[in-house]
Amino acid sequence: MIDLTTLADLTPGICSVTLRSQGIDDVVRISSDAGLAGIEWGTDVHVSDSESAAHAKEATVAAGLSVLSLGSYYRCGAFGDFGRALDLATGLGAPRIRVWAGELGSAEANEDYWDAVVQDTRRIADLAAARGIAIAFEYHGNTLTDSPATTLDLLNRVNHPNVGTYWQPAVGLSDKQALESLHEVLPHLAGVHCFSWGPEAERFPLRNRKLLWQTVTDVLRGNGKDMDIMLEFVEDDLPENVLNDAAFLHTITLGED
């Protein structure tokens, strides 16, 4: 028998970039209407200064939702001003900041580049830890986290308790390959970005990869660590497709489909 007491809780949420053309209040309304539990607010459009951070926090909490994280576009290795991201996350009440592992793919990066990303990540991880905020890498092509092996290599080099990684199925991978990549990074996982794309980055309803996402959520629940699983991009960027994908996300996070 499965011990239900050891199963992790999965929080269904959304990245605000999914609704980039909508204002803060509309993002919250659509997310609430979809029955989602939280929002990762991005700095690309919605949260760009202290006023918008406060607005997003207030609107999110008023709707009974949680702020899941701040989706920043900070590129580790640049030794840039991370204070802005920290201030936005603090004003937003975000427990975590998503960052990018440089701006070169692992095959293009030399040792000096790797060292710069490692040192900068350690620096910002210390700064974030002082405010009780975690750091997680975007799992993405054209960065040092473009494969499970390089992601693990980077995390091992950084070797910081305040740094983890997100995961998403890389474009073009089969379900089997995607699941293998998930299992490899699972011990360091901080959150999941959830979408259904074709091999040419075509956007489909989430249910089009039903077996993949059913299996992903089974793995996450069985891992024993509570996890945010956030919709990121929907077909045609339409709010009604957020509702459709959220309905499917609910069923699989609860193990009902």
Side-chain angles (χ1 to χ4, degrees), residues 154-215:
L154 180 59
L155 288 166
N156 287 335
R157 294 190 195 204
V158 170
N159 191 28
H160 197 293
N162 201 37
V163 180
T165 186
Y166 282 82
W167 175 85
Q168 61 194 36
V171 175
L173 293 189
S174 67
D175 289 1
K176 180 176 182 293
Q177 291 169 322
L179 289 167
E180 287 172 351
S181 72
L182 170 64
H183 279 286
E184 288 188 62
V185 302
L186 194 59
H188 303 277
L189 201 60
V192 169
H193 287 160
C194 184
F195 52 81
S196 179
W197 283 15
E200 301 299 323
E202 314 97 311
R203 297 181 186 180
F204 298 118
L206 194 60
R207 190 178 285 273
N208 274 35
R209 298 192 78 175
K210 177 179 179 179
L211 181 58
L212 170 64
W213 286 111
Q214 282 178 321
T215 310

Coordinates of all heavy atoms in Angstrom, one line a residue, residues 154-215:
L154 N 27.2 22.2 -12.3 CA 27.1 23.6 -11.8 C 26.7 23.6 -10.4 O 27.4 24.3 -9.5 CB 26.2 24.4 -12.7 CG 26.0 25.9 -12.2 CD1 27.4 26.6 -12.3 CD2 25.0 26.6 -13.1
L155 N 25.7 22.9 -10.0 CA 25.2 22.9 -8.6 C 26.3 22.3 -7.7 O 26.5 22.8 -6.6 CB 24.0 22.0 -8.5 CG 22.7 22.7 -9.1 CD1 21.6 21.7 -9.2 CD2 22.3 23.9 -8.2
N156 N 27.1 21.3 -8.2 CA 28.1 20.7 -7.4 C 29.3 21.7 -7.2 O 29.9 21.8 -6.1 CB 28.7 19.5 -8.0 CG 27.7 18.3 -7.9 OD1 26.9 18.3 -6.9 ND2 27.7 17.3 -8.8
R157 N 29.6 22.5 -8.2 CA 30.6 23.5 -8.1 C 30.2 24.6 -7.2 O 31.0 25.1 -6.4 CB 31.0 24.1 -9.5 CG 31.6 23.1 -10.5 CD 32.1 23.8 -11.7 NE 32.4 22.9 -12.8 CZ 33.2 23.2 -13.8 NH1 33.9 24.4 -13.8 NH2 33.5 22.4 -14.8
V158 N 29.0 25.1 -7.3 CA 28.5 26.1 -6.5 C 28.4 25.7 -5.0 O 28.8 26.4 -4.1 CB 27.1 26.6 -6.9 CG1 26.4 27.5 -5.9 CG2 27.2 27.3 -8.3
N159 N 27.9 24.5 -4.8 CA 27.9 23.8 -3.5 C 27.4 24.8 -2.4 O 28.1 25.0 -1.4 CB 29.3 23.3 -3.2 CG 29.4 22.4 -1.9 OD1 28.4 21.8 -1.6 ND2 30.5 22.4 -1.2
H160 N 26.2 25.3 -2.6 CA 25.6 26.2 -1.7 C 24.2 25.7 -1.3 O 23.4 25.4 -2.1 CB 25.5 27.6 -2.3 CG 25.3 28.7 -1.3 ND1 24.2 28.9 -0.6 CD2 26.2 29.8 -1.0 CE1 24.3 30.0 0.2 NE2 25.5 30.5 0.0
P161 N 23.9 25.7 0.0 CA 22.6 25.1 0.4 C 21.4 26.0 0.0 O 20.3 25.5 0.1 CB 22.8 25.1 2.0 CG 23.8 26.1 2.3 CD 24.8 26.1 1.2
N162 N 21.7 27.2 -0.4 CA 20.6 28.1 -0.8 C 20.3 28.1 -2.3 O 19.6 29.0 -2.7 CB 20.9 29.6 -0.3 CG 19.7 30.4 -0.2 OD1 18.6 29.9 0.2 ND2 19.8 31.7 -0.6
V163 N 20.9 27.2 -3.0 CA 20.8 27.2 -4.5 C 20.2 25.9 -5.0 O 20.8 24.8 -4.6 CB 22.1 27.5 -5.2 CG1 22.0 27.5 -6.7 CG2 22.7 28.8 -4.7
G164 N 19.1 25.9 -5.7 CA 18.6 24.8 -6.4 C 18.3 25.0 -7.8 O 18.9 26.0 -8.4
T165 N 17.5 24.2 -8.4 CA 17.1 24.4 -9.8 C 15.7 24.2 -10.1 O 15.0 23.4 -9.4 CB 18.0 23.5 -10.7 OG1 17.8 23.8 -12.1 CG2 17.7 22.0 -10.5
Y166 N 15.2 24.9 -11.1 CA 13.9 24.5 -11.7 C 14.1 23.4 -12.7 O 15.2 23.0 -13.0 CB 13.3 25.7 -12.4 CG 12.7 26.8 -11.5 CD1 13.4 27.7 -10.9 CD2 11.3 26.8 -11.3 CE1 12.9 28.7 -10.1 CE2 10.7 27.7 -10.5 CZ 11.5 28.7 -9.9 OH 10.9 29.6 -9.1
W167 N 13.0 22.9 -13.2 CA 13.1 21.9 -14.3 C 11.9 22.1 -15.2 O 10.8 22.6 -14.8 CB 13.0 20.4 -13.7 CG 12.9 19.4 -14.8 CD1 14.0 18.9 -15.5 CD2 11.7 18.8 -15.4 NE1 13.5 18.0 -16.5 CE2 12.2 18.0 -16.4 CE3 10.4 19.0 -15.2 CZ2 11.3 17.2 -17.2 CZ3 9.5 18.3 -15.9 CH2 9.9 17.4 -16.9
Q168 N 12.1 21.8 -16.5 CA 11.0 21.8 -17.5 C 11.5 20.9 -18.6 O 12.7 20.6 -18.7 CB 10.8 23.2 -18.0 CG 12.0 23.8 -18.8 CD 11.8 25.3 -19.0 OE1 11.2 26.0 -18.2 NE2 12.3 25.8 -20.1
P169 N 10.6 20.3 -19.3 CA 11.0 19.4 -20.4 C 11.6 20.2 -21.5 O 11.0 21.1 -22.1 CB 9.7 18.7 -20.8 CG 8.6 19.7 -20.5 CD 9.1 20.4 -19.2
A170 N 12.9 19.9 -21.8 CA 13.6 20.6 -22.9 C 12.9 20.4 -24.2 O 12.3 19.3 -24.5 CB 15.0 20.2 -23.0
V171 N 12.8 21.4 -25.1 CA 12.1 21.3 -26.3 C 12.8 20.2 -27.2 O 14.0 20.1 -27.3 CB 12.2 22.6 -27.1 CG1 11.6 22.5 -28.5 CG2 11.4 23.7 -26.3
G172 N 12.0 19.3 -27.8 CA 12.5 18.3 -28.7 C 12.7 17.0 -28.0 O 13.0 16.0 -28.7
L173 N 12.7 16.9 -26.7 CA 12.9 15.6 -26.0 C 11.6 14.7 -26.0 O 10.5 15.2 -26.0 CB 13.3 15.8 -24.5 CG 14.6 16.5 -24.2 CD1 14.9 16.4 -22.7 CD2 15.8 15.9 -25.0
S174 N 11.8 13.5 -26.1 CA 10.7 12.5 -26.0 C 10.3 12.5 -24.5 O 11.0 13.0 -23.6 CB 11.2 11.1 -26.4 OG 12.1 10.6 -25.5
D175 N 9.1 11.9 -24.2 CA 8.7 11.8 -22.9 C 9.7 11.1 -22.0 O 10.0 11.5 -20.9 CB 7.3 11.1 -22.8 CG 6.2 11.9 -23.3 OD1 6.4 13.1 -23.8 OD2 5.0 11.4 -23.3
K176 N 10.3 10.0 -22.6 CA 11.2 9.2 -21.8 C 12.5 10.0 -21.5 O 13.0 10.0 -20.4 CB 11.6 8.0 -22.7 CG 12.6 7.0 -22.0 CD 12.9 5.8 -22.9 CE 13.8 4.8 -22.2 NZ 15.2 5.4 -22.1
Q177 N 13.0 10.7 -22.5 CA 14.2 11.6 -22.2 C 13.9 12.7 -21.2 O 14.7 13.0 -20.4 CB 14.6 12.2 -23.5 CG 15.2 11.2 -24.5 CD 15.4 11.8 -25.9 OE1 14.6 12.6 -26.4 NE2 16.5 11.4 -26.6
A178 N 12.7 13.3 -21.3 CA 12.4 14.3 -20.4 C 12.3 13.8 -19.0 O 12.8 14.4 -18.0 CB 11.0 15.0 -20.8
L179 N 11.7 12.6 -18.8 CA 11.6 12.0 -17.5 C 12.9 11.6 -16.9 O 13.2 11.8 -15.7 CB 10.6 10.8 -17.5 CG 9.2 11.2 -17.7 CD1 8.4 9.9 -18.1 CD2 8.6 11.9 -16.5
E180 N 13.8 11.2 -17.8 CA 15.2 10.9 -17.3 C 15.9 12.1 -16.8 O 16.6 12.1 -15.8 CB 16.0 10.2 -18.5 CG 15.5 8.8 -18.8 CD 16.2 8.3 -20.1 OE1 16.9 9.1 -20.8 OE2 16.1 7.1 -20.3
S181 N 15.7 13.2 -17.5 CA 16.3 14.5 -17.0 C 15.7 14.9 -15.7 O 16.4 15.4 -14.8 CB 16.1 15.6 -18.1 OG 14.8 16.0 -18.2
L182 N 14.4 14.7 -15.5 CA 13.8 15.1 -14.2 C 14.4 14.3 -13.1 O 14.7 14.8 -12.0 CB 12.3 14.9 -14.3 CG 11.5 15.0 -13.0 CD1 11.6 16.4 -12.4 CD2 10.1 14.5 -13.2
H183 N 14.5 13.0 -13.3 CA 15.0 12.1 -12.2 C 16.5 12.5 -11.8 O 16.8 12.5 -10.7 CB 15.0 10.6 -12.7 CG 13.7 10.0 -12.5 ND1 13.2 9.6 -11.3 CD2 12.7 9.7 -13.4 CE1 12.0 9.1 -11.5 NE2 11.7 9.1 -12.7
E184 N 17.2 13.0 -12.8 CA 18.6 13.3 -12.5 C 18.7 14.6 -11.7 O 19.6 14.6 -10.8 CB 19.4 13.5 -13.9 CG 19.7 12.2 -14.6 CD 20.6 12.5 -15.8 OE1 21.7 12.9 -15.6 OE2 20.2 12.2 -16.9
V185 N 17.9 15.5 -11.9 CA 18.0 16.8 -11.1 C 17.1 16.8 -9.9 O 17.1 17.8 -9.1 CB 17.7 18.0 -12.0 CG1 18.7 18.1 -13.2 CG2 16.3 18.1 -12.5
L186 N 16.3 15.8 -9.7 CA 15.3 15.7 -8.7 C 15.8 16.1 -7.3 O 15.1 16.8 -6.5 CB 14.6 14.3 -8.6 CG 13.3 14.2 -7.9 CD1 12.2 15.1 -8.4 CD2 12.8 12.7 -7.9
P187 N 17.0 15.7 -6.8 CA 17.4 16.0 -5.5 C 17.6 17.5 -5.3 O 17.6 17.9 -4.1 CB 18.8 15.2 -5.4 CG 18.7 14.1 -6.3 CD 17.9 14.7 -7.5
H188 N 17.8 18.3 -6.3 CA 18.0 19.7 -6.2 C 16.8 20.5 -6.7 O 17.0 21.8 -6.8 CB 19.2 20.1 -7.1 CG 20.5 19.3 -6.8 ND1 21.3 19.6 -5.7 CD2 21.0 18.2 -7.3 CE1 22.3 18.8 -5.7 NE2 22.2 17.9 -6.6
L189 N 15.7 19.9 -6.9 CA 14.6 20.6 -7.5 C 13.9 21.6 -6.6 O 13.6 21.3 -5.4 CB 13.6 19.5 -8.0 CG 12.6 20.0 -9.1 CD1 13.4 20.4 -10.4 CD2 11.6 18.9 -9.5
A190 N 13.6 22.8 -7.1 CA 13.0 23.8 -6.4 C 11.6 24.2 -6.9 O 10.8 24.8 -6.2 CB 13.8 25.1 -6.3
G191 N 11.3 23.8 -8.2 CA 10.0 24.1 -8.8 C 10.0 23.6 -10.2 O 11.1 23.3 -10.8
V192 N 8.8 23.5 -10.8 CA 8.7 23.0 -12.1 C 7.9 24.0 -13.0 O 6.9 24.5 -12.5 CB 8.0 21.6 -12.1 CG1 7.5 21.2 -13.5 CG2 8.9 20.5 -11.5
H193 N 8.3 24.2 -14.2 CA 7.6 25.0 -15.2 C 6.9 24.0 -16.1 O 7.5 23.1 -16.7 CB 8.5 25.9 -16.0 CG 9.0 27.1 -15.2 ND1 10.1 27.8 -15.5 CD2 8.4 27.6 -14.0 CE1 10.2 28.8 -14.6 NE2 9.3 28.7 -13.7
C194 N 5.6 24.2 -16.3 CA 4.8 23.2 -16.9 C 4.2 23.7 -18.2 O 3.5 24.7 -18.2 CB 3.7 22.9 -15.9 SG 2.5 21.6 -16.3
F195 N 4.4 23.0 -19.3 CA 3.8 23.4 -20.6 C 3.9 22.2 -21.6 O 4.5 21.2 -21.3 CB 4.6 24.6 -21.2 CG 6.1 24.4 -21.3 CD1 6.7 23.7 -22.3 CD2 6.9 25.0 -20.3 CE1 8.0 23.5 -22.4 CE2 8.3 24.8 -20.4 CZ 8.9 24.1 -21.4
S196 N 3.3 22.3 -22.7 CA 3.3 21.3 -23.7 C 3.7 21.9 -25.0 O 2.9 22.6 -25.7 CB 1.9 20.6 -23.8 OG 1.9 19.6 -24.8
W197 N 4.9 21.6 -25.4 CA 5.5 22.2 -26.7 C 5.8 21.1 -27.6 O 6.3 20.0 -27.2 CB 6.7 23.0 -26.4 CG 6.4 24.4 -25.9 CD1 5.2 24.8 -25.3 CD2 7.3 25.5 -25.8 NE1 5.4 26.2 -24.9 CE2 6.6 26.6 -25.2 CE3 8.6 25.7 -26.1 CZ2 7.2 27.8 -25.0 CZ3 9.3 26.9 -25.9 CH2 8.5 28.0 -25.3
G198 N 5.7 21.3 -28.9 CA 6.2 20.4 -29.9 C 7.7 20.6 -30.2 O 8.3 21.5 -29.6
P199 N 8.2 19.8 -31.1 CA 9.7 19.8 -31.3 C 10.2 21.1 -31.9 O 11.4 21.4 -31.9 CB 9.9 18.7 -32.3 CG 8.6 18.4 -32.9 CD 7.6 18.7 -31.8
E200 N 9.3 21.9 -32.5 CA 9.7 23.2 -33.1 C 9.1 24.3 -32.2 O 8.9 25.5 -32.6 CB 9.1 23.4 -34.5 CG 9.6 22.3 -35.4 CD 11.1 22.3 -35.6 OE1 11.7 23.4 -35.6 OE2 11.7 21.2 -35.8
A201 N 8.9 24.0 -30.9 CA 8.4 25.0 -29.9 C 7.0 25.4 -30.2 O 6.5 26.5 -29.8 CB 9.3 26.2 -29.8
E202 N 6.2 24.6 -30.9 CA 4.8 24.8 -31.1 C 4.1 24.7 -29.7 O 4.4 23.7 -29.0 CB 4.2 23.9 -32.1 CG 5.0 23.7 -33.3 CD 5.8 22.4 -33.3 OE1 6.6 22.3 -32.3 OE2 5.8 21.6 -34.2
R203 N 3.1 25.5 -29.4 CA 2.4 25.5 -28.2 C 1.1 24.7 -28.3 O 0.3 25.0 -29.2 CB 2.2 26.9 -27.6 CG 3.4 27.6 -27.3 CD 3.2 29.0 -26.8 NE 4.4 29.8 -26.6 CZ 4.4 31.0 -26.2 NH1 3.3 31.6 -25.9 NH2 5.6 31.7 -26.1
F204 N 0.9 23.7 -27.5 CA -0.3 22.9 -27.5 C -0.9 22.9 -26.1 O -0.3 23.3 -25.1 CB 0.1 21.4 -27.9 CG 0.7 21.3 -29.2 CD1 2.0 20.8 -29.4 CD2 0.0 21.6 -30.4 CE1 2.6 20.7 -30.6 CE2 0.6 21.5 -31.6 CZ 1.9 21.0 -31.7
P205 N -2.2 22.4 -26.0 CA -2.8 22.2 -24.7 C -1.9 21.3 -23.9 O -1.3 20.3 -24.4 CB -4.2 21.6 -25.1 CG -4.4 22.0 -26.5 CD -3.1 22.1 -27.1
L206 N -1.9 21.6 -22.6 CA -1.1 20.7 -21.7 C -1.5 19.3 -21.8 O -0.6 18.4 -21.7 CB -1.3 21.2 -20.2 CG -0.3 20.7 -19.2 CD1 1.1 21.1 -19.5 CD2 -0.7 21.2 -17.8
R207 N -2.7 19.0 -22.0 CA -3.2 17.6 -22.1 C -2.6 16.8 -23.3 O -2.6 15.6 -23.3 CB -4.7 17.6 -22.1 CG -5.3 16.2 -22.0 CD -6.9 16.3 -22.0 NE -7.4 16.8 -20.7 CZ -7.7 16.1 -19.7 NH1 -7.5 14.8 -19.7 NH2 -8.1 16.6 -18.6
N208 N -2.0 17.6 -24.2 CA -1.4 16.9 -25.4 C -0.3 16.0 -25.0 O 0.1 15.1 -25.7 CB -1.0 17.9 -26.4 CG -2.1 18.3 -27.4 OD1 -3.2 18.3 -27.0 ND2 -1.7 18.5 -28.6
R209 N 0.3 16.3 -23.8 CA 1.4 15.5 -23.3 C 1.0 14.9 -21.9 O 1.7 14.9 -20.9 CB 2.7 16.2 -23.2 CG 3.3 16.7 -24.5 CD 4.7 17.2 -24.4 NE 5.7 16.2 -24.4 CZ 7.0 16.3 -24.4 NH1 7.5 17.5 -24.4 NH2 7.8 15.3 -24.4
K210 N -0.2 14.3 -22.0 CA -0.9 13.8 -20.8 C 0.0 12.8 -20.0 O 0.2 12.9 -18.8 CB -2.2 13.2 -21.2 CG -3.0 12.6 -20.0 CD -4.4 12.0 -20.5 CE -5.1 11.4 -19.3 NZ -6.4 10.9 -19.8
L211 N 0.5 11.9 -20.7 CA 1.3 10.8 -20.1 C 2.5 11.4 -19.4 O 2.9 11.0 -18.3 CB 1.7 9.7 -21.1 CG 2.5 8.5 -20.5 CD1 1.7 7.9 -19.4 CD2 2.8 7.5 -21.6
L212 N 3.2 12.3 -20.1 CA 4.4 12.9 -19.5 C 4.0 13.6 -18.2 O 4.7 13.4 -17.2 CB 5.0 13.9 -20.5 CG 6.1 14.8 -19.9 CD1 7.3 14.0 -19.5 CD2 6.5 15.9 -20.9
W213 N 3.0 14.5 -18.2 CA 2.7 15.3 -17.0 C 2.1 14.5 -15.9 O 2.3 14.7 -14.8 CB 1.9 16.5 -17.4 CG 2.7 17.5 -18.1 CD1 2.7 17.9 -19.4 CD2 3.9 18.2 -17.6 NE1 3.7 18.8 -19.7 CE2 4.4 19.0 -18.6 CE3 4.4 18.3 -16.3 CZ2 5.5 19.8 -18.4 CZ3 5.5 19.1 -16.1 CH2 6.0 19.9 -17.2
Q214 N 1.3 13.4 -16.3 CA 0.9 12.5 -15.3 C 2.0 11.9 -14.5 O 2.1 11.8 -13.3 CB 0.0 11.4 -15.9 CG -1.4 11.8 -16.2 CD -2.2 10.7 -16.9 OE1 -1.6 9.9 -17.7 NE2 -3.4 10.5 -16.6
T215 N 3.0 11.4 -15.3 CA 4.2 10.7 -14.7 C 5.0 11.7 -13.9 O 5.5 11.4 -12.8 CB 5.0 10.1 -15.8 OG1 4.2 9.3 -16.6 CG2 6.1 9.2 -15.2

